[in-house]
Amino acid sequence: MEKKIMLTGDRPTGKLHIGHYFGSLVNRVKLQDEFESYILVADVQALTDNFNNPEKVRKNVREVVMDYLSVGIDPEKCTIYIQSMIPEVPELTIYYSNFVTIARLERNPTVKTELAAKRDVFGESVTYGFLGYPVNQAADITAFDATIVPVGEDQLPLIEQCREIVRKFNSVYGEVLKEPEAYLSEGKRIKGLDGNEKMGKSLGNAIYLSDSPEEIYKKVMSAVTDPKRIKKDDKGNPDVCMVYYYHKLFSNKEECNGVCSECKAGTRGCVACKKQLAENISEYLRPIREKRKYYEEHPEVVDQILIEGTNRARKKAQETMKRVKGAMKLDYFESDK
Ligand code: TRP
């Protein structure tokens, strides 16, 4: 039986952190054995709200790919490619744009939330490019006949939008496109060092996969602990402490139990507790960091992976394009053969 096709991706706007790791990367590493897998670095989409900062997007393409490779995404199993290098995708975007109204895009909850947070970029009036990025994302997915799209909850409205486009397109041109499904990753959502529900670069509360042990140490020292615990021998409440929260992710059961009971009894100081956590996180991330170092020192290997991935991806997208153009009666000088 043929494997189902999985596709997902990230905007290259920064390095990936442990929130990405537990939230999606671990899951992708598992899925790459089960599905024919594609992962795109969405540089075109990143430009829709970073159009005035092309250097940032370009630089982060390689950073994100090095993060992928260092956590175990295997270029032999998974096609990693750069979105802008597949010209069939913007071509499809144009055709699909006939099947989406402006009002529908303006109502898209993901777009609405992002716009509210991006007043500094767009002011009162959104660009055509940003408003239309869900159409572009529908092209990303359908160009590869992907039916499985692993994403976080925030992306569900984009997948729904894609499904609508597929249904409308197929109702006019025949069963040409495959209707994808979102695959909600079972991943954990990781809070920031400050206790914020979300870990993110702009929030300054993230530990990156590429952070050095020194950086990890510094960040862990700033993590928010039980605010009511002022003196070392005050009894603490580990349930409101970010250090304990992270111990549960990075330390073994025995250590966690010790942290919990000693904190409650007021026999363990926060500084010692943080030191131990920083060490455990550093140790946990060591293999990832070491693998990443190899790719940092061998940029030509990363380039080669991207070139090969992009070539493979392009072939696949070209096959879809042929089908789409045939169905749309745009296959001039070929249909009479
Ligand atoms: N919108 C996704 C993000 O912000 C990135 C992305 C672009 C994507 N194209 C995609 C995800 C196609 C899944 C499928 O992270």
mmCIF file of all heavy atoms in Angstrom, residues 217-238:
data_model
loop_
_atom_site.group_PDB
_atom_site.id
_atom_site.type_symbol
_atom_site.label_atom_id
_atom_site.label_comp_id
_atom_site.label_asym_id
_atom_site.label_seq_id
_atom_site.Cartn_x
_atom_site.Cartn_y
_atom_site.Cartn_z
ATOM 1 N N TYR A 217 22.049 28.025 31.765
ATOM 2 C CA TYR A 217 22.220 28.328 33.188
ATOM 3 C C TYR A 217 21.668 29.721 33.511
ATOM 4 O O TYR A 217 20.891 29.908 34.444
ATOM 5 C CB TYR A 217 23.710 28.223 33.548
ATOM 6 C CG TYR A 217 24.014 28.486 35.002
ATOM 7 C CD1 TYR A 217 23.895 27.465 35.943
ATOM 8 C CD2 TYR A 217 24.430 29.748 35.434
ATOM 9 C CE1 TYR A 217 24.175 27.704 37.284
ATOM 10 C CE2 TYR A 217 24.705 29.991 36.768
ATOM 11 C CZ TYR A 217 24.577 28.970 37.689
ATOM 12 O OH TYR A 217 24.849 29.200 39.008
ATOM 13 N N LYS A 218 22.076 30.692 32.686
ATOM 14 C CA LYS A 218 21.631 32.069 32.921
ATOM 15 C C LYS A 218 20.106 32.177 32.862
ATOM 16 O O LYS A 218 19.478 32.832 33.698
ATOM 17 C CB LYS A 218 22.245 33.002 31.861
ATOM 18 C CG LYS A 218 23.106 34.015 32.513
ATOM 19 C CD LYS A 218 23.779 35.107 31.749
ATOM 20 C CE LYS A 218 23.269 35.678 30.492
ATOM 21 N NZ LYS A 218 24.348 35.934 29.524
ATOM 22 N N LYS A 219 19.525 31.531 31.891
ATOM 23 C CA LYS A 219 18.075 31.613 31.729
ATOM 24 C C LYS A 219 17.344 30.924 32.880
ATOM 25 O O LYS A 219 16.354 31.435 33.394
ATOM 26 C CB LYS A 219 17.659 30.989 30.399
ATOM 27 C CG LYS A 219 18.050 31.852 29.211
ATOM 28 C CD LYS A 219 17.626 31.214 27.911
ATOM 29 C CE LYS A 219 18.008 32.117 26.748
ATOM 30 N NZ LYS A 219 17.670 31.510 25.453
ATOM 31 N N VAL A 220 17.846 29.743 33.257
ATOM 32 C CA VAL A 220 17.171 29.019 34.341
ATOM 33 C C VAL A 220 17.238 29.827 35.635
ATOM 34 O O VAL A 220 16.279 29.871 36.410
ATOM 35 C CB VAL A 220 17.775 27.605 34.520
ATOM 36 C CG1 VAL A 220 17.257 26.946 35.791
ATOM 37 C CG2 VAL A 220 17.453 26.735 33.310
ATOM 38 N N MET A 221 18.362 30.521 35.850
ATOM 39 C CA MET A 221 18.491 31.342 37.067
ATOM 40 C C MET A 221 17.420 32.428 37.120
ATOM 41 O O MET A 221 17.055 32.897 38.195
ATOM 42 C CB MET A 221 19.881 31.991 37.127
ATOM 43 C CG MET A 221 20.973 31.022 37.518
ATOM 44 S SD MET A 221 20.691 30.350 39.168
ATOM 45 C CE MET A 221 21.363 28.723 39.003
ATOM 46 N N SER A 222 16.915 32.837 35.936
ATOM 47 C CA SER A 222 15.907 33.907 35.923
ATOM 48 C C SER A 222 14.478 33.357 35.953
ATOM 49 O O SER A 222 13.515 34.121 35.927
ATOM 50 C CB SER A 222 16.093 34.768 34.666
ATOM 51 O OG SER A 222 15.606 34.054 33.550
ATOM 52 N N ALA A 223 14.343 32.037 36.007
ATOM 53 C CA ALA A 223 12.997 31.452 35.954
ATOM 54 C C ALA A 223 12.182 31.848 37.185
ATOM 55 O O ALA A 223 12.725 32.053 38.272
ATOM 56 C CB ALA A 223 13.087 29.925 35.863
ATOM 57 N N VAL A 224 10.885 31.941 36.987
ATOM 58 C CA VAL A 224 9.991 32.380 38.059
ATOM 59 C C VAL A 224 9.688 31.225 39.017
ATOM 60 O O VAL A 224 9.275 30.144 38.604
ATOM 61 C CB VAL A 224 8.684 32.937 37.451
ATOM 62 C CG1 VAL A 224 7.652 33.218 38.541
ATOM 63 C CG2 VAL A 224 8.973 34.204 36.671
ATOM 64 N N THR A 225 9.913 31.478 40.299
ATOM 65 C CA THR A 225 9.629 30.462 41.331
ATOM 66 C C THR A 225 8.419 30.906 42.151
ATOM 67 O O THR A 225 7.793 31.914 41.837
ATOM 68 C CB THR A 225 10.850 30.280 42.264
ATOM 69 O OG1 THR A 225 11.209 31.566 42.766
ATOM 70 C CG2 THR A 225 12.034 29.704 41.513
ATOM 71 N N ASP A 226 8.125 30.157 43.189
ATOM 72 C CA ASP A 226 6.993 30.508 44.050
ATOM 73 C C ASP A 226 7.225 31.905 44.653
ATOM 74 O O ASP A 226 8.143 32.100 45.453
ATOM 75 C CB ASP A 226 6.890 29.452 45.169
ATOM 76 C CG ASP A 226 5.775 29.777 46.170
ATOM 77 O OD1 ASP A 226 5.112 30.821 45.991
ATOM 78 O OD2 ASP A 226 5.587 28.984 47.108
ATOM 79 N N PRO A 227 6.400 32.885 44.296
ATOM 80 C CA PRO A 227 6.654 34.264 44.741
ATOM 81 C C PRO A 227 6.507 34.433 46.255
ATOM 82 O O PRO A 227 7.042 35.377 46.832
ATOM 83 C CB PRO A 227 5.599 35.085 43.994
ATOM 84 C CG PRO A 227 4.543 34.115 43.606
ATOM 85 C CD PRO A 227 5.210 32.773 43.457
ATOM 86 N N LYS A 228 5.813 33.491 46.881
ATOM 87 C CA LYS A 228 5.607 33.621 48.332
ATOM 88 C C LYS A 228 6.805 33.097 49.113
ATOM 89 O O LYS A 228 6.889 33.250 50.329
ATOM 90 C CB LYS A 228 4.351 32.844 48.747
ATOM 91 C CG LYS A 228 3.083 33.463 48.186
ATOM 92 C CD LYS A 228 1.927 33.215 49.145
ATOM 93 C CE LYS A 228 0.606 33.643 48.540
ATOM 94 N NZ LYS A 228 -0.147 32.509 47.975
ATOM 95 N N ARG A 229 7.715 32.449 48.419
ATOM 96 C CA ARG A 229 8.862 31.868 49.112
ATOM 97 C C ARG A 229 10.003 32.870 49.066
ATOM 98 O O ARG A 229 10.644 33.071 48.037
ATOM 99 C CB ARG A 229 9.262 30.574 48.388
ATOM 100 C CG ARG A 229 10.110 29.712 49.255
ATOM 101 C CD ARG A 229 10.374 28.363 48.648
ATOM 102 N NE ARG A 229 11.349 27.713 49.485
ATOM 103 C CZ ARG A 229 12.179 26.786 49.098
ATOM 104 N NH1 ARG A 229 12.143 26.367 47.841
ATOM 105 N NH2 ARG A 229 13.044 26.272 49.924
ATOM 106 N N ILE A 230 10.249 33.514 50.179
ATOM 107 C CA ILE A 230 11.220 34.600 50.184
ATOM 108 C C ILE A 230 12.537 34.145 50.787
ATOM 109 O O ILE A 230 13.594 34.322 50.205
ATOM 110 C CB ILE A 230 10.653 35.832 50.926
ATOM 111 C CG1 ILE A 230 9.432 36.333 50.131
ATOM 112 C CG2 ILE A 230 11.700 36.948 51.021
ATOM 113 C CD1 ILE A 230 8.447 37.121 50.928
ATOM 114 N N LYS A 231 12.462 33.524 51.943
ATOM 115 C CA LYS A 231 13.681 33.015 52.578
ATOM 116 C C LYS A 231 13.873 31.556 52.209
ATOM 117 O O LYS A 231 12.921 30.843 51.902
ATOM 118 C CB LYS A 231 13.576 33.172 54.100
ATOM 119 C CG LYS A 231 13.593 34.643 54.526
ATOM 120 C CD LYS A 231 13.885 34.820 55.990
ATOM 121 C CE LYS A 231 12.815 34.615 56.995
ATOM 122 N NZ LYS A 231 11.525 34.232 57.002
ATOM 123 N N LYS A 232 15.093 31.113 52.299
ATOM 124 C CA LYS A 232 15.432 29.762 51.862
ATOM 125 C C LYS A 232 14.640 28.690 52.612
ATOM 126 O O LYS A 232 14.252 27.682 52.041
ATOM 127 C CB LYS A 232 16.940 29.542 52.068
ATOM 128 C CG LYS A 232 17.455 28.302 51.400
ATOM 129 C CD LYS A 232 18.966 28.203 51.529
ATOM 130 C CE LYS A 232 19.389 26.751 51.353
ATOM 131 N NZ LYS A 232 20.778 26.516 51.680
ATOM 132 N N ASP A 233 14.408 28.919 53.908
ATOM 133 C CA ASP A 233 13.702 27.865 54.639
ATOM 134 C C ASP A 233 12.186 28.079 54.725
ATOM 135 O O ASP A 233 11.491 27.346 55.442
ATOM 136 C CB ASP A 233 14.331 27.626 56.030
ATOM 137 C CG ASP A 233 14.587 28.935 56.760
ATOM 138 O OD1 ASP A 233 14.140 29.990 56.239
ATOM 139 O OD2 ASP A 233 15.212 28.910 57.845
ATOM 140 N N ASP A 234 11.671 29.058 53.933
ATOM 141 C CA ASP A 234 10.205 29.146 53.796
ATOM 142 C C ASP A 234 9.721 27.879 53.101
ATOM 143 O O ASP A 234 10.411 27.331 52.246
ATOM 144 C CB ASP A 234 9.811 30.336 52.894
ATOM 145 C CG ASP A 234 9.982 31.678 53.606
ATOM 146 O OD1 ASP A 234 10.164 31.673 54.835
ATOM 147 O OD2 ASP A 234 9.970 32.706 52.900
ATOM 148 N N LYS A 235 8.495 27.465 53.480
ATOM 149 C CA LYS A 235 7.929 26.313 52.779
ATOM 150 C C LYS A 235 7.403 26.762 51.412
ATOM 151 O O LYS A 235 6.707 27.757 51.323
ATOM 152 C CB LYS A 235 6.798 25.703 53.618
ATOM 153 C CG LYS A 235 7.289 25.031 54.900
ATOM 154 C CD LYS A 235 6.131 24.363 55.583
ATOM 155 C CE LYS A 235 6.471 23.550 56.814
ATOM 156 N NZ LYS A 235 7.637 23.821 57.594
ATOM 157 N N GLY A 236 7.773 26.011 50.380
ATOM 158 C CA GLY A 236 7.394 26.432 49.028
ATOM 159 C C GLY A 236 6.246 25.631 48.450
ATOM 160 O O GLY A 236 5.875 24.582 48.979
ATOM 161 N N ASN A 237 5.691 26.155 47.371
ATOM 162 C CA ASN A 237 4.641 25.436 46.636
ATOM 163 C C ASN A 237 5.143 25.136 45.224
ATOM 164 O O ASN A 237 5.079 25.992 44.347
ATOM 165 C CB ASN A 237 3.365 26.292 46.591
ATOM 166 C CG ASN A 237 2.289 25.624 45.754
ATOM 167 O OD1 ASN A 237 2.437 24.472 45.330
ATOM 168 N ND2 ASN A 237 1.216 26.353 45.508
ATOM 169 N N PRO A 238 5.647 23.912 45.009
ATOM 170 C CA PRO A 238 6.240 23.600 43.705
ATOM 171 C C PRO A 238 5.248 23.732 42.544
ATOM 172 O O PRO A 238 5.657 23.951 41.403
ATOM 173 C CB PRO A 238 6.716 22.146 43.860
ATOM 174 C CG PRO A 238 6.109 21.631 45.107
ATOM 175 C CD PRO A 238 5.721 22.790 45.949
#
